[in-house]
Structures are given as structure tokens and as C-alpha cells.
Amino acid sequence: MDTSSLLLMRQEVLLLGIALLLVIAEIFIPSHRKSSTVHLAILLFGVHTALGFLPIAEDSLFGGMFRTNSLIHFFKNVLNIGVLVLLLQSADWLQEKIVKQNRGTEFFILLFFSLLGMYFMISAGDFLMFYIGLELSTLPVAALASYELMKRSSSEAGIKLILSAALASGVSLFGISMLYATTGSIYFNDVAQVITTAHLSVLGFVLFFAGLAFKISLVPFHFWTADVYEGAPISVASYLSAISKGAAAFILMILLFTVLKPLMPVWENLIYVVALATMFLGNLFALRQQNMKRFLAFSSISQAGFILLGLITGTQLGTATVVYFVMIYIFSNLAAFGVVQAISLQTGKENMDDYNGLYRTNPKLSLVMMLALFSLAGIPPVAGFFGKFFLFTAAASEGYYLLVFLAVVNVTISLFYYLLVVRAMFLRKSDNPIPLFQNKIYMRLGLTITVIGILVLGLYSPLYDYIFELSGVFN
């Protein structure tokens, strides 16, 4: 491997280097100063995120197994920003609970290796690299989901996630084997040229799609989501909801628009049905939730249904709207989970009724949560409105008027349950409200970044134009 190859894999090499540095730090930092590993990890990852914005060439490595281009590089930077925000929001929890158990470094290493797997997954040029990336991104998260050892629900979440992931992985791998049997290759470029709508190819695609649908929590592969989110630490649930889902939606879009484009008559019907089922079921179940983590779990399921409106188009406009929406979704969801994490860390309260009267005691947190929920609901002028508007425009431009109408119906349903939380915070009173508390600097910084993202992404139109320009590489 020469220097140019290293530069193409700059993000991967740097992230691996950070993980190794943390291992060395774990060895040499004395036990009474282990909390410094949190500062070190955030500092190193902050530098990694900043370096990620340096331009990168468009090329491939290892005979086409690994590839990168401007859109893939851009999306890796989006994932980096999301993980950096998540680290900032998790710092207090790590220092107060995890570092005392001498397991702080493990958390970072597992998280970074999962992110490394996502890098490889979205840069994959063949199904082998894709599968390795998929597994590397999933297995560490299963360990993270059970990270709170003293909680039975956390262990249960880890077991459910690993069993569900193993089943989905096996189904997906079986689908890949069928695609290989019908095309004679695992390379994306070769498969795209010879794949047909033969029955075995269609069956292989459906099984392969099921594996990724599990990771995105599309109905009917969503069954694990609410239980795992509720039992896992909030930081891990936030990671699964925002980062993991965003990366899986991105690689699914690439595969549908390039490798599996000849099967579009098949997958557009499949996505149509799955999108409706995901939006309706996610929204209807969210109406019934009281626990905030389960509430955001079903909210994230319904948001995944909206992403499919961009995927069904197969056009450059669809690519741009999916990337743009996922980016906004990451900021909005991290903001909502950040507030839930801050309150849970201070009070241990995680139910919606506990938020009654929150504005009177913690007005800043209430405003951040309101902005996040308004963005998820699609209320103007926050970014979520523009994200959904562009998705609906993309679907309508291809003639999916009924699908867009039903998506608007779902927006109305979601608006109702998002406003339930807003009503609890701003209009309801409580005899035992959450007391006033002051977040530490890392949490404040993490929430501030998400608020800036929610406000700026919707109003700064050149960013969408830039994403649209990048999106031409896959269409």
C-alpha cells in the first residue's frame, strides 16, 4: 500500500489510529486519572472530524473492493459530526458511571470500531467488503447495548440485539449468495451489468433487503427496536437511532440506485408497501408510549418510512433528498436524545409525565427539546420541514401522488404525539417537577451544536445545492 492509498483511506486509518492510541493511554494512565481518557478521546475525535473536511480524490482500492468519492466522503463527515455530538453528550455519563468501573476506554474503542465498520460499509465496492463492514458496525454495538451491567434491562437489550442482528445477518448473507449464484460476481460494477429480474435474483434481493431493513428498523423488521432502545444506555440508543440508521439508509440508497437499478420494477413496489407500513405502524405505536426512549424509538421507525420516499425515486433528486433528510434527522434526533440523557442523568426520570412543567424549571432544555420535536414533525421554519418537503417533492416528481398524500397524513399523526411532549413541558403543571439543574460544558456544547444544525440546515440553501451536485455520482 503506497501513500496515495493511505490518503484515500484517510478516515479509516485515522480512526483506527485513535483507537490504538486509546489502548496505549489505557495502559499508561494511572487508575485515579482514568477520567482523562474521556477528554483525550473527545479531543482526538474532534481533530479527526476536522481533518475529515480536507478534500479527497475519487478512486478505488484493492481491485475495486474499496471506493470513495465526494458524496461518500461528505457522508462520512456527517457521521463524524454526529458521533462527535454523541461523545459530547455522553461525557458526563461516562465520567460519573462508566469510568468509575474502569470501562471508559472500552466504550470509546467499541464505538469507534463500529463507526469504522460503517466507513467500510458505505465505501464498499463489492458484497464482501459490504458484509465485513456491516458486521463490524453491528457487533460492537451489541456489546455497548448491554454496557450497564447492573441493569437487567441493559443485558436483555444486548441479547435481543445480538440475536436479532445474527438472524438478519444470516438472511442477508443468504440473499447475497443467491445474487452471486445468478450473476457470477460479488463486485458491484459486474453485478449491475448482468443482474436480471430472474426469480432467483429477485428472491436474493428480497433476502438481502431484509437484512438492511433490520438495521434501518423498517416494518416488519422493526420488532427489536423499542425494547433495545429502552434497555440500552441512552447514548447507545441515540447511536443506533441516528448514526447506525443513517449509514444503513445511505448504503441501501447506493445499492438500489446503482447495483440493483435493473431490479427497480421489483424494489419500487416493495419499498412502496414497506414505506406505508413503516410510517403508519411507527406513528400509531408512538401515540401509546410514555417512556421517552420507547417514544423516540417508534418515532425513529416512522422517520425511516419517510426516508423511503426518496429511495423509491431512483433519481439524482432522490439521492440528494435522502442525504439531506438523513443529515437533518441525525441532528434532530441527537438533540432529542441529548435532552433525555441530560434529564435521566440528573434525575433518573425517563417518562413523558415526568416532563410536566419542565419549562418552568429548565427552560433551555425545554426549548431544545421543542426545536428537536418540531424538526422531527416537519414544522417550518426548522430544518425538518425542508427535509420532508424535499422528500415529498422527489416522490411527487416521479408520480407517487398517493404515497405523498398518505405521508402527509402521517406527518399530521406524528405532529399530534410530538405536541404531547411539548404540551407536557410548556402547559402542564406538576407538584413534583424536575428541579433546576446545570449541565456541564460537554453536554451544553453537544446540545448547542444540534440546535445550530437544526436552525442552519433548513435556512442555508447552498448546502442543499451542494449535496444535489454531489449526488450526480450515483445517477
Side-chain angles (χ1 to χ4, degrees), residues 38 65 87 95 134 191 207 246 249 261 292 294 317-318 320 345 365 393 411 426 433 440:
V38 177
M65 290 182 69
L87 292 180
Q95 288 183 322
L134 180 69
V191 172
L207 294 175
K261 192 67 176 281
M292 287 301 294
R294 292 186 72 87
L317 179 61
L345 188 62
L365 280 180
T393 302
V411 168
F426 287 86
K440 294 181 181 178

Side-chain angles (χ1 to χ4, degrees), residues 22 92 276 313 408 441:
L22 289 176
D92 296 343
L276 287 177
T313 63
V408 172
I441 182 65

Side-chain angles (χ1 to χ4, degrees), residues 245-263:
K245 181 173 293 192
F250 183 75
I251 186 62
L252 177 61
M253 177 193 69
I254 293 176
L255 295 176
L256 290 179
F257 290 9
T258 57
V259 185
L260 301 169
K261 192 67 176 281
L263 298 183

